[in-house]
Amino acid sequence: MIKRSFIGLTEPKLKCDLVEPGPKEPEAIPIPPRLILLLNEPLDSTKETLVKKGDMVNKGERIFLYKESKEYVAAPVSGTITTVAPFTGDFGELATYLVVETNAKQDIHKSFTESISIPDIQTADSYLRGIAGNPPLKLLAEAADGAKSNGINIKKIIISGIDQDILCTTRQFALTRFRDELSKAVAFLKQLTGISDISIVMPDALAKLSAFNGMNIVKISSDYVDSLSPMLMDKYLGISFVPGKTCEELGLCFISVEALFSLVKSYSQKEPVYEKIITIIDKKGKKSRVSATIGTPIHRIFTKIGVETAEKDRIIIGGPLRGVAAYTLYYPVTPDMDTLMVQDSSVIPTISDYPCINCGKCVRICPTNVPVNVLVRYLEANLYQDAADSYDLFSCIECGLCSYVCSAKIPIFQYIRLGKHELNKIELEMIKEAENV
Amino acid sequence: MFKQNKFTVSHAPFWHDGDSIKEMNLNIMAAALPATLFGIIQFGMAALGVVCLSIASAMAWEALFCVAAKRPIVIHDYNAAVIGMLFGMMLPATLPWWAVITGTFVCIVIGQQIFGGIGGNPFNPTLIGMAITSLSWQHLFDFNTALVNYQLTFTALDPLAALKHQGASVVAMFPTSSLLMGKQIGAIGSIFAAGLIAGGIYLIIRGYIRWEITLSYIAGIVVTAWIFNITDPVKYATPMFHLLTGYTLLGAFFLANETSSSPVNLIPMIIYGVIGGCLTILIRNIGAYPDGTIYAILFINLINPLIDKIRPKAFGTIRPKNSGKECKQCVK
Ligand code: SF4
Ligand code: SF4
């Protein structure tokens, strides 16, 4: 953990880690006997589900919850479904989880293989959602299909070789690992999406590699916040950030290098790719990389590579500033899980219920000039609308630095995420109501 | 859902820079220590008694109030201790015990706790205590009479009181070097200018006070005093004299910076500091009191919420660079 330095005159500058030179191949984690899949649709107890306990699925077969469902999760292995149960996400959003028991014999589901002769974004979206790296297929497919675009018009695709938190290196690893095939992959992506404005963002240090000569490269410094999408877009791509709008709404689509190569490989091998590369950071900060099938419970990974976890430790999905804590070792590998980190119980910082003492550290460090010291008072009082209207809640790019430095140890970042979540929920409800009238 | 293991679940960020309110307060106390120790050496056991009683009673008031208000007792964050220490530093060594205790009551309860405790006070609690006690018992705060029994080897006059009564001719009696080295009469913690400067610089380097406020406060003092001085050098003292006497340095490094009653944005900090410095000199030179620091800082505390509204535009709220047009510089 990076602590405050003795000289506190200027605020700390956090740097993102660079991928190590000459990285080793990720260690392959064997397919476990049981996988857990998350499906982004709540269970409705009044309806009969399409998928049932005891159903057999083949690798790559899509599982829909109900007949009219649009969301699906693809089975990463062939097996038998043993559980269909409700799951609650980080902010209480409702979803469903399924347990698949792996079969000894692995068959590939045919429908994808049969329909892929020409790359086309609609078929890719119909079959390849949730492959390793989680390419934004749904977004691209809907934007391409005018009727469903919701005003989203993707003009530019950014292939992201930078990670979203300071210790993470998975995307950079994928970039160096696949660098020689990158130009072919870009051509493939152009063909698949019909969008020709494609750039690759990568850290300054990696851009020197000769493999990238002649490509559309955007070089990013290793200063922590530069790598976050809104900042990157505003600072390096010249597209102004608009509070409350996502990069997608502004015409940008990000796809990680790994996701791109999963797509390419799924087409070339005629079989969806479900092996996710994950960087594991143990308690001492040592990094290793594994490749695990989506759905693998994370304890399998820890056991396999000998990372210890004890009571009261913290398991973090993502990095130290923006990640999410997992409450169980049975949490599955998800398509976008780039980093897993274990933090020893003895170094977990406490939070407090102190009020803001107006020390101003958050205001100094905030890269987006959010008046955090005032904002936090409104958020603590649940005045989300005021926070958004007068105190720039939506200018926040969720870097987590304000909480990192807060003298009073207020969980500011959580308040901010919650505030945004609540406001977005209200907005969605209003849209829904308007539609129903 | 799954089998439960007892892992710690909480929200990002999972790192913290390790700083805390306690850490900050301990650093402030450490920075105030040289000046306080000097005062104790100068004024003896009486001064030690006043400072200790002030710290102890401030902590006790906070604890008592928290019990009465059914709030958790948090004296281990040293917030009350800092208030008590600064209050003690501003007192004459001879102040009777009951005045000290009443003073800390005002600081803690009226200055802070009734506003909701730490972080809620609109004014610097120490100064609320000082303003009320010094107005109530003015004679106890006249440093010349209060310290009349001390045998001192230097000019035993309160420089600011002397200035008020005799004009700038007294400046010659207080060479800068003696003021720096604490050869003056005054409050326990305010006479050793060099110690206060050293402590203040330490706090600035550690980042525990906002240097912008300190510097602009000092700039306000220097510029205003200089203007007065050149218009009438016989009547008005030099900037250096003002800087090193009275509560000026204590104000610049320890009082104007109190976190919750001062601004956090750059331009407001500068306005706040300059007005504070300016007012201090105005009160000294044309007002009724020999030292204006207390009222000047209370006044800027009052306007703080207004001026701290001036802040930089947040990300994305400025002007669209390209409002809808294609981006220009993306491909290099
Ligand atoms: S998380 Fe905090 S520091 Fe980061 S942009 Fe948002 S308000 Fe600013
Ligand atoms: S860092 Fe924390 S205590 Fe300091 S001003 Fe910001 S919110 Fe308040």
Side-chain angles (χ1 to χ4, degrees), chain A residues 134-152:
Chain A
N134 208 18
L137 296 171
K138 187 174 168 197
L139 173 85
L140 285 167
E142 287 183 355
D145 177 350
K148 290 194 217 144
S149 71
N150 286 327
I152 290 185

Side-chain angles (χ1 to χ4, degrees), chain A residues 1 3-4 6-9 87 97 155 166 216 218 234 237-238 240-241 243 310-316 320-321 323 325 327-330 343 349 354-359 361 363-364 368-369 371 373 390 392 395 400 403-404 406-407 409 413-414, chain B residues 1-21 24 74 77 118-119 202 204-208 210-212 259-260 262 264-265 269 308 311-317 319-322 324 326-327 329-332:
Chain A
M1 194 178 319
K3 291 286 186 184
R4 187 174 204 267
F6 184 81
I7 296 181
L9 194 53
F87 173 82
Y97 80 92
K155 297 196 210 82
I166 52 175
N216 266 352
V218 181
D234 195 273
L237 302 177
S240 296
F241 169 76
E311 285 254 308
K312 299 215 170 63
D313 286 351
R314 189 151 59 186
I315 296 164
I316 300 161
L321 293 175
Y327 50 88
T328 161
L329 281 174
Y330 290 84
Q343 193 177 34
Y354 263 91
C356 166
I357 59 160
N358 208 38
C359 72
K361 284 171 74 188
V363 176
R364 275 180 203 257
T368 59
N369 291 335
N373 61 330
S390 316
D392 298 314
S395 284
S403 294
Y404 167 70
C406 179
S407 303
K409 300 193 172 143
F413 190 36
Q414 181 59 15
Chain B
M1 163 179 168
F2 314 109
K3 196 162 49 177
Q4 290 295 321
N5 292 261
K6 289 198 187 68
F7 289 109
T8 304
V9 184
S10 50
H11 304 295
F14 304 107
W15 278 7
H16 192 272
D17 74 353
D19 202 6
S20 65
I21 297 176
M24 177 179 93
V74 285
D77 65 13
I118 184 168
Y202 168 79
I204 287 180
I205 291 176
R206 294 294 322 264
Y208 284 116
R210 296 174 208 144
W211 58 269
E212 296 91 336
T259 57
S260 68
S262 61
V264 298
N265 292 302
M269 283 196 280
D308 208 18
R311 58 181 176 87
K313 286 257 184 276
F315 190 41
T317 58
R319 65 312 56 124
K321 275 183 225 150
N322 57 320
E326 285 305 310
C327 72
Q329 43 131 183
C330 21
V331 188
K332 289 243 173 70

Side-chain angles (χ1 to χ4, degrees), chain A residues 118-176:
Chain A
I118 342 156
D120 146 54
I121 187 69
Q122 305 298 347
T123 33
D125 179 44
S126 313
Y127 294 100
L128 296 179
R129 274 188 212 168
I131 56 173
N134 208 18
L137 296 171
K138 187 174 168 197
L139 173 85
L140 285 167
E142 287 183 355
D145 177 350
K148 290 194 217 144
S149 71
N150 286 327
I152 290 185
N153 179 11
I154 302 293
K155 297 196 210 82
K156 187 175 177 65
I157 300 182
I158 302 293
I159 301 171
S160 170
I162 47 169
D163 293 274
Q164 300 292 299
D165 207 329
I166 52 175
L167 294 184
C168 306
T169 52
T170 303
R171 290 182 179 185
Q172 298 172 49
F173 168 79
L175 184 72
T176 49

Side-chain angles (χ1 to χ4, degrees), chain A residues 16 41 74 128 243 303 370:
Chain A
C16 296
E41 184 174 355
L128 296 179
T303 332
V370 173

Side-chain angles (χ1 to χ4, degrees), chain A residues 19-26 169 172-174 176-177 179 289:
Chain A
V19 66
E20 66 280 8
K24 282 199 301 213
E25 273 297 293
T169 52
Q172 298 172 49
F173 168 79
T176 49
R177 169 78 174 66
R179 60 176 181 265
R289 241 170 242 110

